[in-house]
Amino acid sequence: MDIRKKIFKKYDKFSLAEFKDEKDKLRSEIKKLLAEYSDLDSNCYHILGLVDFESDDWKVNIEKSIRNFKKAVELDANNVLPQLYLAHCYHDLNQLELALENYNKVDKEKLKEFQIWRYTKLIEQIGYCEYKLGNKKIGEQHFEEVLEWYKKLPEIDRVVPSELIECLPKNHRIVTEMKKIETYLE
């Protein structure tokens, strides 16, 4: 098996691993393989960003994740997931201006084709950033779009609208309609 396939196979195991010890071991193995690989492309840098981002001590490694996601985007601007995860990093650091800037760089149509749940979550996250940055009307417009998607998506393609719920009052029309769709929000 070539080293590239080995890297991606290990990452698949890493992403499914449930226990910290197993994840830590796989993270080390992935980093070692990538250090030995001479032809790092956008996907390799994306994986490097993810293995640090998806850790218990992600805050310690967040700058490494950011550098790796940026490098992945630099090498392939059409690779939507590193751009999305770069935005997630800034979101998690509560650097909402940078998060919003990077969320808006994500190719929405490509993301929608890839995974509709990621697309609707992206719209919600853009709404969250706008709302928290004081652009409440724009934020609510994005939340309205999320609601419209929730109305037509099968349950398997929906994720908990946590940012929407955090922003809007419990009695807001959008939240009320979401509760009618999602019984777990009650």
PDB file of all heavy atoms in Angstrom, residues 45-76:
ATOM      1  N   TYR A  45      -2.337  18.548   4.155  1.00  0.00           N
ATOM      2  CA  TYR A  45      -2.340  19.659   5.113  1.00  0.00           C
ATOM      3  C   TYR A  45      -3.687  19.758   5.836  1.00  0.00           C
ATOM      4  O   TYR A  45      -3.730  20.103   7.022  1.00  0.00           O
ATOM      5  CB  TYR A  45      -1.984  20.985   4.425  1.00  0.00           C
ATOM      6  CG  TYR A  45      -0.505  21.119   4.196  1.00  0.00           C
ATOM      7  CD1 TYR A  45       0.051  20.881   2.951  1.00  0.00           C
ATOM      8  CD2 TYR A  45       0.349  21.457   5.242  1.00  0.00           C
ATOM      9  CE1 TYR A  45       1.426  20.991   2.739  1.00  0.00           C
ATOM     10  CE2 TYR A  45       1.713  21.564   5.051  1.00  0.00           C
ATOM     11  CZ  TYR A  45       2.245  21.327   3.799  1.00  0.00           C
ATOM     12  OH  TYR A  45       3.605  21.430   3.608  1.00  0.00           O
ATOM     13  N   HIS A  46      -4.759  19.433   5.137  1.00  0.00           N
ATOM     14  CA  HIS A  46      -6.073  19.417   5.774  1.00  0.00           C
ATOM     15  C   HIS A  46      -6.090  18.388   6.903  1.00  0.00           C
ATOM     16  O   HIS A  46      -6.544  18.670   8.017  1.00  0.00           O
ATOM     17  CB  HIS A  46      -7.153  19.115   4.727  1.00  0.00           C
ATOM     18  CG  HIS A  46      -8.528  19.069   5.280  1.00  0.00           C
ATOM     19  ND1 HIS A  46      -9.468  18.182   4.852  1.00  0.00           N
ATOM     20  CD2 HIS A  46      -9.147  19.798   6.245  1.00  0.00           C
ATOM     21  CE1 HIS A  46     -10.591  18.362   5.536  1.00  0.00           C
ATOM     22  NE2 HIS A  46     -10.416  19.331   6.374  1.00  0.00           N
ATOM     23  N   ILE A  47      -5.561  17.195   6.630  1.00  0.00           N
ATOM     24  CA  ILE A  47      -5.498  16.148   7.661  1.00  0.00           C
ATOM     25  C   ILE A  47      -4.625  16.604   8.828  1.00  0.00           C
ATOM     26  O   ILE A  47      -4.988  16.408   9.996  1.00  0.00           O
ATOM     27  CB  ILE A  47      -5.011  14.820   7.066  1.00  0.00           C
ATOM     28  CG1 ILE A  47      -6.122  14.203   6.216  1.00  0.00           C
ATOM     29  CG2 ILE A  47      -4.575  13.846   8.163  1.00  0.00           C
ATOM     30  CD1 ILE A  47      -5.720  12.956   5.459  1.00  0.00           C
ATOM     31  N   LEU A  48      -3.483  17.211   8.534  1.00  0.00           N
ATOM     32  CA  LEU A  48      -2.631  17.725   9.620  1.00  0.00           C
ATOM     33  C   LEU A  48      -3.403  18.720  10.488  1.00  0.00           C
ATOM     34  O   LEU A  48      -3.291  18.701  11.719  1.00  0.00           O
ATOM     35  CB  LEU A  48      -1.385  18.402   9.051  1.00  0.00           C
ATOM     36  CG  LEU A  48      -0.215  17.496   8.728  1.00  0.00           C
ATOM     37  CD1 LEU A  48       0.854  18.252   7.944  1.00  0.00           C
ATOM     38  CD2 LEU A  48       0.371  16.899   9.996  1.00  0.00           C
ATOM     39  N   GLY A  49      -4.174  19.581   9.851  1.00  0.00           N
ATOM     40  CA  GLY A  49      -4.986  20.531  10.621  1.00  0.00           C
ATOM     41  C   GLY A  49      -6.026  19.826  11.466  1.00  0.00           C
ATOM     42  O   GLY A  49      -6.237  20.161  12.634  1.00  0.00           O
ATOM     43  N   LEU A  50      -6.665  18.818  10.882  1.00  0.00           N
ATOM     44  CA  LEU A  50      -7.733  18.104  11.585  1.00  0.00           C
ATOM     45  C   LEU A  50      -7.250  17.313  12.784  1.00  0.00           C
ATOM     46  O   LEU A  50      -7.916  17.288  13.817  1.00  0.00           O
ATOM     47  CB  LEU A  50      -8.454  17.154  10.627  1.00  0.00           C
ATOM     48  CG  LEU A  50      -9.381  17.790   9.605  1.00  0.00           C
ATOM     49  CD1 LEU A  50      -9.882  16.727   8.631  1.00  0.00           C
ATOM     50  CD2 LEU A  50     -10.539  18.502  10.267  1.00  0.00           C
ATOM     51  N   VAL A  51      -6.102  16.653  12.666  1.00  0.00           N
ATOM     52  CA  VAL A  51      -5.663  15.802  13.783  1.00  0.00           C
ATOM     53  C   VAL A  51      -5.348  16.627  15.020  1.00  0.00           C
ATOM     54  O   VAL A  51      -5.490  16.139  16.148  1.00  0.00           O
ATOM     55  CB  VAL A  51      -4.494  14.848  13.416  1.00  0.00           C
ATOM     56  CG1 VAL A  51      -4.933  13.841  12.377  1.00  0.00           C
ATOM     57  CG2 VAL A  51      -3.245  15.580  13.000  1.00  0.00           C
ATOM     58  N   ASP A  52      -4.941  17.881  14.833  1.00  0.00           N
ATOM     59  CA  ASP A  52      -4.743  18.757  15.993  1.00  0.00           C
ATOM     60  C   ASP A  52      -6.045  19.404  16.428  1.00  0.00           C
ATOM     61  O   ASP A  52      -6.310  19.544  17.621  1.00  0.00           O
ATOM     62  CB  ASP A  52      -3.710  19.843  15.677  1.00  0.00           C
ATOM     63  CG  ASP A  52      -2.289  19.314  15.691  1.00  0.00           C
ATOM     64  OD1 ASP A  52      -2.011  18.382  16.473  1.00  0.00           O
ATOM     65  OD2 ASP A  52      -1.464  19.819  14.921  1.00  0.00           O
ATOM     66  N   PHE A  53      -6.882  19.786  15.468  1.00  0.00           N
ATOM     67  CA  PHE A  53      -8.160  20.430  15.777  1.00  0.00           C
ATOM     68  C   PHE A  53      -9.091  19.482  16.532  1.00  0.00           C
ATOM     69  O   PHE A  53      -9.801  19.891  17.438  1.00  0.00           O
ATOM     70  CB  PHE A  53      -8.813  20.909  14.474  1.00  0.00           C
ATOM     71  CG  PHE A  53     -10.086  21.669  14.663  1.00  0.00           C
ATOM     72  CD1 PHE A  53     -10.079  22.956  15.178  1.00  0.00           C
ATOM     73  CD2 PHE A  53     -11.302  21.113  14.313  1.00  0.00           C
ATOM     74  CE1 PHE A  53     -11.258  23.675  15.341  1.00  0.00           C
ATOM     75  CE2 PHE A  53     -12.489  21.823  14.477  1.00  0.00           C
ATOM     76  CZ  PHE A  53     -12.462  23.101  14.992  1.00  0.00           C
ATOM     77  N   GLU A  54      -9.066  18.216  16.160  1.00  0.00           N
ATOM     78  CA  GLU A  54      -9.931  17.213  16.778  1.00  0.00           C
ATOM     79  C   GLU A  54      -9.217  16.532  17.945  1.00  0.00           C
ATOM     80  O   GLU A  54      -9.013  15.330  17.958  1.00  0.00           O
ATOM     81  CB  GLU A  54     -10.360  16.183  15.735  1.00  0.00           C
ATOM     82  CG  GLU A  54     -11.201  16.777  14.631  1.00  0.00           C
ATOM     83  CD  GLU A  54     -11.517  15.799  13.521  1.00  0.00           C
ATOM     84  OE1 GLU A  54     -11.246  14.591  13.671  1.00  0.00           O
ATOM     85  OE2 GLU A  54     -12.026  16.255  12.483  1.00  0.00           O
ATOM     86  N   SER A  55      -8.829  17.345  18.923  1.00  0.00           N
ATOM     87  CA  SER A  55      -8.163  16.805  20.094  1.00  0.00           C
ATOM     88  C   SER A  55      -8.695  17.480  21.352  1.00  0.00           C
ATOM     89  O   SER A  55      -9.295  18.543  21.277  1.00  0.00           O
ATOM     90  CB  SER A  55      -6.643  17.003  19.989  1.00  0.00           C
ATOM     91  OG  SER A  55      -6.312  18.371  20.057  1.00  0.00           O
ATOM     92  N   ASP A  56      -8.448  16.844  22.478  1.00  0.00           N
ATOM     93  CA  ASP A  56      -8.893  17.413  23.747  1.00  0.00           C
ATOM     94  C   ASP A  56      -8.187  18.737  24.047  1.00  0.00           C
ATOM     95  O   ASP A  56      -8.744  19.602  24.705  1.00  0.00           O
ATOM     96  CB  ASP A  56      -8.656  16.427  24.891  1.00  0.00           C
ATOM     97  CG  ASP A  56      -9.579  15.230  24.832  1.00  0.00           C
ATOM     98  OD1 ASP A  56     -10.625  15.310  24.147  1.00  0.00           O
ATOM     99  OD2 ASP A  56      -9.258  14.198  25.461  1.00  0.00           O
ATOM    100  N   ASP A  57      -6.953  18.850  23.574  1.00  0.00           N
ATOM    101  CA  ASP A  57      -6.194  20.076  23.826  1.00  0.00           C
ATOM    102  C   ASP A  57      -6.043  20.909  22.553  1.00  0.00           C
ATOM    103  O   ASP A  57      -5.001  21.455  22.261  1.00  0.00           O
ATOM    104  CB  ASP A  57      -4.834  19.754  24.448  1.00  0.00           C
ATOM    105  CG  ASP A  57      -3.982  18.855  23.568  1.00  0.00           C
ATOM    106  OD1 ASP A  57      -4.494  18.327  22.562  1.00  0.00           O
ATOM    107  OD2 ASP A  57      -2.801  18.675  23.901  1.00  0.00           O
ATOM    108  N   TRP A  58      -7.152  21.016  21.810  1.00  0.00           N
ATOM    109  CA  TRP A  58      -7.139  21.740  20.536  1.00  0.00           C
ATOM    110  C   TRP A  58      -6.680  23.181  20.693  1.00  0.00           C
ATOM    111  O   TRP A  58      -6.051  23.741  19.810  1.00  0.00           O
ATOM    112  CB  TRP A  58      -8.505  21.680  19.847  1.00  0.00           C
ATOM    113  CG  TRP A  58      -9.596  22.380  20.593  1.00  0.00           C
ATOM    114  CD1 TRP A  58     -10.427  21.832  21.522  1.00  0.00           C
ATOM    115  CD2 TRP A  58      -9.965  23.755  20.509  1.00  0.00           C
ATOM    116  NE1 TRP A  58     -11.290  22.774  22.016  1.00  0.00           N
ATOM    117  CE2 TRP A  58     -11.029  23.964  21.407  1.00  0.00           C
ATOM    118  CE3 TRP A  58      -9.509  24.830  19.752  1.00  0.00           C
ATOM    119  CZ2 TRP A  58     -11.634  25.214  21.573  1.00  0.00           C
ATOM    120  CZ3 TRP A  58     -10.108  26.076  19.916  1.00  0.00           C
ATOM    121  CH2 TRP A  58     -11.163  26.248  20.824  1.00  0.00           C
ATOM    122  N   LYS A  59      -6.982  23.788  21.848  1.00  0.00           N
ATOM    123  CA  LYS A  59      -6.593  25.185  22.056  1.00  0.00           C
ATOM    124  C   LYS A  59      -5.078  25.354  22.048  1.00  0.00           C
ATOM    125  O   LYS A  59      -4.569  26.365  21.595  1.00  0.00           O
ATOM    126  CB  LYS A  59      -7.171  25.726  23.360  1.00  0.00           C
ATOM    127  CG  LYS A  59      -8.655  25.997  23.286  1.00  0.00           C
ATOM    128  CD  LYS A  59      -9.163  26.592  24.572  1.00  0.00           C
ATOM    129  CE  LYS A  59     -10.652  26.860  24.466  1.00  0.00           C
ATOM    130  NZ  LYS A  59     -11.200  27.441  25.675  1.00  0.00           N
ATOM    131  N   VAL A  60      -4.363  24.333  22.535  1.00  0.00           N
ATOM    132  CA  VAL A  60      -2.904  24.366  22.554  1.00  0.00           C
ATOM    133  C   VAL A  60      -2.350  24.314  21.127  1.00  0.00           C
ATOM    134  O   VAL A  60      -1.348  24.946  20.807  1.00  0.00           O
ATOM    135  CB  VAL A  60      -2.343  23.181  23.385  1.00  0.00           C
ATOM    136  CG1 VAL A  60      -0.833  23.081  23.288  1.00  0.00           C
ATOM    137  CG2 VAL A  60      -2.783  23.294  24.833  1.00  0.00           C
ATOM    138  N   ASN A  61      -3.037  23.581  20.267  1.00  0.00           N
ATOM    139  CA  ASN A  61      -2.556  23.341  18.908  1.00  0.00           C
ATOM    140  C   ASN A  61      -3.283  24.148  17.836  1.00  0.00           C
ATOM    141  O   ASN A  61      -3.063  23.928  16.647  1.00  0.00           O
ATOM    142  CB  ASN A  61      -2.690  21.848  18.577  1.00  0.00           C
ATOM    143  CG  ASN A  61      -1.838  21.000  19.478  1.00  0.00           C
ATOM    144  OD1 ASN A  61      -0.661  21.257  19.654  1.00  0.00           O
ATOM    145  ND2 ASN A  61      -2.439  19.980  20.076  1.00  0.00           N
ATOM    146  N   ILE A  62      -4.136  25.082  18.245  1.00  0.00           N
ATOM    147  CA  ILE A  62      -4.986  25.772  17.282  1.00  0.00           C
ATOM    148  C   ILE A  62      -4.184  26.552  16.237  1.00  0.00           C
ATOM    149  O   ILE A  62      -4.569  26.594  15.066  1.00  0.00           O
ATOM    150  CB  ILE A  62      -6.024  26.683  17.992  1.00  0.00           C
ATOM    151  CG1 ILE A  62      -7.114  27.136  17.020  1.00  0.00           C
ATOM    152  CG2 ILE A  62      -5.374  27.869  18.651  1.00  0.00           C
ATOM    153  CD1 ILE A  62      -8.138  26.099  16.734  1.00  0.00           C
ATOM    154  N   GLU A  63      -3.078  27.131  16.636  1.00  0.00           N
ATOM    155  CA  GLU A  63      -2.272  27.880  15.663  1.00  0.00           C
ATOM    156  C   GLU A  63      -1.695  26.954  14.596  1.00  0.00           C
ATOM    157  O   GLU A  63      -1.612  27.328  13.425  1.00  0.00           O
ATOM    158  CB  GLU A  63      -1.167  28.685  16.356  1.00  0.00           C
ATOM    159  CG  GLU A  63      -1.685  29.848  17.188  1.00  0.00           C
ATOM    160  CD  GLU A  63      -2.552  30.837  16.418  1.00  0.00           C
ATOM    161  OE1 GLU A  63      -2.251  31.138  15.240  1.00  0.00           O
ATOM    162  OE2 GLU A  63      -3.554  31.310  16.997  1.00  0.00           O
ATOM    163  N   LYS A  64      -1.309  25.730  14.996  1.00  0.00           N
ATOM    164  CA  LYS A  64      -0.832  24.742  14.017  1.00  0.00           C
ATOM    165  C   LYS A  64      -1.966  24.360  13.068  1.00  0.00           C
ATOM    166  O   LYS A  64      -1.755  24.243  11.862  1.00  0.00           O
ATOM    167  CB  LYS A  64      -0.295  23.480  14.712  1.00  0.00           C
ATOM    168  CG  LYS A  64       1.100  23.623  15.258  1.00  0.00           C
ATOM    169  CD  LYS A  64       1.698  22.266  15.590  1.00  0.00           C
ATOM    170  CE  LYS A  64       1.235  21.810  16.951  1.00  0.00           C
ATOM    171  NZ  LYS A  64       1.808  20.559  17.406  1.00  0.00           N
ATOM    172  N   SER A  65      -3.157  24.153  13.626  1.00  0.00           N
ATOM    173  CA  SER A  65      -4.306  23.826  12.784  1.00  0.00           C
ATOM    174  C   SER A  65      -4.571  24.942  11.787  1.00  0.00           C
ATOM    175  O   SER A  65      -4.774  24.685  10.593  1.00  0.00           O
ATOM    176  CB  SER A  65      -5.554  23.576  13.636  1.00  0.00           C
ATOM    177  OG  SER A  65      -5.426  22.399  14.383  1.00  0.00           O
ATOM    178  N   ILE A  66      -4.552  26.170  12.260  1.00  0.00           N
ATOM    179  CA  ILE A  66      -4.796  27.319  11.381  1.00  0.00           C
ATOM    180  C   ILE A  66      -3.763  27.359  10.259  1.00  0.00           C
ATOM    181  O   ILE A  66      -4.119  27.525   9.082  1.00  0.00           O
ATOM    182  CB  ILE A  66      -4.816  28.642  12.190  1.00  0.00           C
ATOM    183  CG1 ILE A  66      -6.090  28.704  13.043  1.00  0.00           C
ATOM    184  CG2 ILE A  66      -4.691  29.861  11.279  1.00  0.00           C
ATOM    185  CD1 ILE A  66      -6.126  29.838  14.057  1.00  0.00           C
ATOM    186  N   ARG A  67      -2.473  27.196  10.604  1.00  0.00           N
ATOM    187  CA  ARG A  67      -1.425  27.205   9.572  1.00  0.00           C
ATOM    188  C   ARG A  67      -1.646  26.096   8.548  1.00  0.00           C
ATOM    189  O   ARG A  67      -1.505  26.311   7.332  1.00  0.00           O
ATOM    190  CB  ARG A  67      -0.039  27.044  10.208  1.00  0.00           C
ATOM    191  CG  ARG A  67       0.557  28.324  10.744  1.00  0.00           C
ATOM    192  CD  ARG A  67       2.022  28.199  11.084  1.00  0.00           C
ATOM    193  NE  ARG A  67       2.353  27.084  11.952  1.00  0.00           N
ATOM    194  CZ  ARG A  67       2.280  27.101  13.286  1.00  0.00           C
ATOM    195  NH1 ARG A  67       1.876  28.192  13.901  1.00  0.00           N
ATOM    196  NH2 ARG A  67       2.604  26.039  13.997  1.00  0.00           N
ATOM    197  N   ASN A  68      -1.998  24.913   9.030  1.00  0.00           N
ATOM    198  CA  ASN A  68      -2.200  23.790   8.113  1.00  0.00           C
ATOM    199  C   ASN A  68      -3.437  23.979   7.229  1.00  0.00           C
ATOM    200  O   ASN A  68      -3.400  23.661   6.039  1.00  0.00           O
ATOM    201  CB  ASN A  68      -2.248  22.473   8.872  1.00  0.00           C
ATOM    202  CG  ASN A  68      -0.870  22.045   9.322  1.00  0.00           C
ATOM    203  OD1 ASN A  68       0.083  22.097   8.559  1.00  0.00           O
ATOM    204  ND2 ASN A  68      -0.748  21.620  10.573  1.00  0.00           N
ATOM    205  N   PHE A  69      -4.524  24.484   7.790  1.00  0.00           N
ATOM    206  CA  PHE A  69      -5.710  24.749   6.978  1.00  0.00           C
ATOM    207  C   PHE A  69      -5.419  25.837   5.939  1.00  0.00           C
ATOM    208  O   PHE A  69      -5.842  25.730   4.785  1.00  0.00           O
ATOM    209  CB  PHE A  69      -6.916  25.125   7.839  1.00  0.00           C
ATOM    210  CG  PHE A  69      -7.425  24.003   8.704  1.00  0.00           C
ATOM    211  CD1 PHE A  69      -7.836  24.245  10.003  1.00  0.00           C
ATOM    212  CD2 PHE A  69      -7.511  22.701   8.231  1.00  0.00           C
ATOM    213  CE1 PHE A  69      -8.318  23.225  10.813  1.00  0.00           C
ATOM    214  CE2 PHE A  69      -7.988  21.665   9.028  1.00  0.00           C
ATOM    215  CZ  PHE A  69      -8.394  21.927  10.322  1.00  0.00           C
ATOM    216  N   LYS A  70      -4.679  26.881   6.335  1.00  0.00           N
ATOM    217  CA  LYS A  70      -4.316  27.933   5.388  1.00  0.00           C
ATOM    218  C   LYS A  70      -3.463  27.368   4.250  1.00  0.00           C
ATOM    219  O   LYS A  70      -3.659  27.723   3.085  1.00  0.00           O
ATOM    220  CB  LYS A  70      -3.554  29.072   6.094  1.00  0.00           C
ATOM    221  CG  LYS A  70      -4.434  30.011   6.871  1.00  0.00           C
ATOM    222  CD  LYS A  70      -3.591  31.123   7.497  1.00  0.00           C
ATOM    223  CE  LYS A  70      -4.457  32.138   8.208  1.00  0.00           C
ATOM    224  NZ  LYS A  70      -3.645  33.217   8.818  1.00  0.00           N
ATOM    225  N   LYS A  71      -2.506  26.519   4.597  1.00  0.00           N
ATOM    226  CA  LYS A  71      -1.641  25.909   3.577  1.00  0.00           C
ATOM    227  C   LYS A  71      -2.473  25.034   2.639  1.00  0.00           C
ATOM    228  O   LYS A  71      -2.256  25.038   1.422  1.00  0.00           O
ATOM    229  CB  LYS A  71      -0.525  25.095   4.247  1.00  0.00           C
ATOM    230  CG  LYS A  71       0.469  24.501   3.292  1.00  0.00           C
ATOM    231  CD  LYS A  71       1.312  25.562   2.613  1.00  0.00           C
ATOM    232  CE  LYS A  71       2.369  24.923   1.747  1.00  0.00           C
ATOM    233  NZ  LYS A  71       3.174  25.882   1.024  1.00  0.00           N
ATOM    234  N   ALA A  72      -3.421  24.298   3.183  1.00  0.00           N
ATOM    235  CA  ALA A  72      -4.295  23.450   2.360  1.00  0.00           C
ATOM    236  C   ALA A  72      -5.082  24.297   1.367  1.00  0.00           C
ATOM    237  O   ALA A  72      -5.185  23.947   0.185  1.00  0.00           O
ATOM    238  CB  ALA A  72      -5.242  22.641   3.248  1.00  0.00           C
ATOM    239  N   VAL A  73      -5.611  25.424   1.826  1.00  0.00           N
ATOM    240  CA  VAL A  73      -6.378  26.329   0.958  1.00  0.00           C
ATOM    241  C   VAL A  73      -5.452  26.951  -0.087  1.00  0.00           C
ATOM    242  O   VAL A  73      -5.815  27.062  -1.269  1.00  0.00           O
ATOM    243  CB  VAL A  73      -7.099  27.424   1.785  1.00  0.00           C
ATOM    244  CG1 VAL A  73      -7.689  28.500   0.897  1.00  0.00           C
ATOM    245  CG2 VAL A  73      -8.157  26.802   2.678  1.00  0.00           C
ATOM    246  N   GLU A  74      -4.255  27.336   0.334  1.00  0.00           N
ATOM    247  CA  GLU A  74      -3.277  27.924  -0.588  1.00  0.00           C
ATOM    248  C   GLU A  74      -2.940  26.950  -1.729  1.00  0.00           C
ATOM    249  O   GLU A  74      -2.827  27.350  -2.880  1.00  0.00           O
ATOM    250  CB  GLU A  74      -2.014  28.282   0.199  1.00  0.00           C
ATOM    251  CG  GLU A  74      -0.870  28.825  -0.609  1.00  0.00           C
ATOM    252  CD  GLU A  74       0.386  28.979   0.241  1.00  0.00           C
ATOM    253  OE1 GLU A  74       0.284  29.541   1.355  1.00  0.00           O
ATOM    254  OE2 GLU A  74       1.447  28.527  -0.203  1.00  0.00           O
ATOM    255  N   LEU A  75      -2.801  25.670  -1.379  1.00  0.00           N
ATOM    256  CA  LEU A  75      -2.449  24.666  -2.388  1.00  0.00           C
ATOM    257  C   LEU A  75      -3.622  24.295  -3.298  1.00  0.00           C
ATOM    258  O   LEU A  75      -3.419  23.878  -4.433  1.00  0.00           O
ATOM    259  CB  LEU A  75      -1.903  23.406  -1.711  1.00  0.00           C
ATOM    260  CG  LEU A  75      -0.523  23.563  -1.071  1.00  0.00           C
ATOM    261  CD1 LEU A  75      -0.162  22.312  -0.262  1.00  0.00           C
ATOM    262  CD2 LEU A  75       0.534  23.839  -2.131  1.00  0.00           C
ATOM    263  N   ASP A  76      -4.845  24.421  -2.779  1.00  0.00           N
ATOM    264  CA  ASP A  76      -6.025  24.093  -3.586  1.00  0.00           C
ATOM    265  C   ASP A  76      -7.225  24.891  -3.077  1.00  0.00           C
ATOM    266  O   ASP A  76      -7.916  24.470  -2.139  1.00  0.00           O
ATOM    267  CB  ASP A  76      -6.322  22.593  -3.534  1.00  0.00           C
ATOM    268  CG  ASP A  76      -7.488  22.186  -4.415  1.00  0.00           C
ATOM    269  OD1 ASP A  76      -8.106  23.063  -5.073  1.00  0.00           O
ATOM    270  OD2 ASP A  76      -7.806  20.984  -4.445  1.00  0.00           O
TER     271      ASP A  76
END
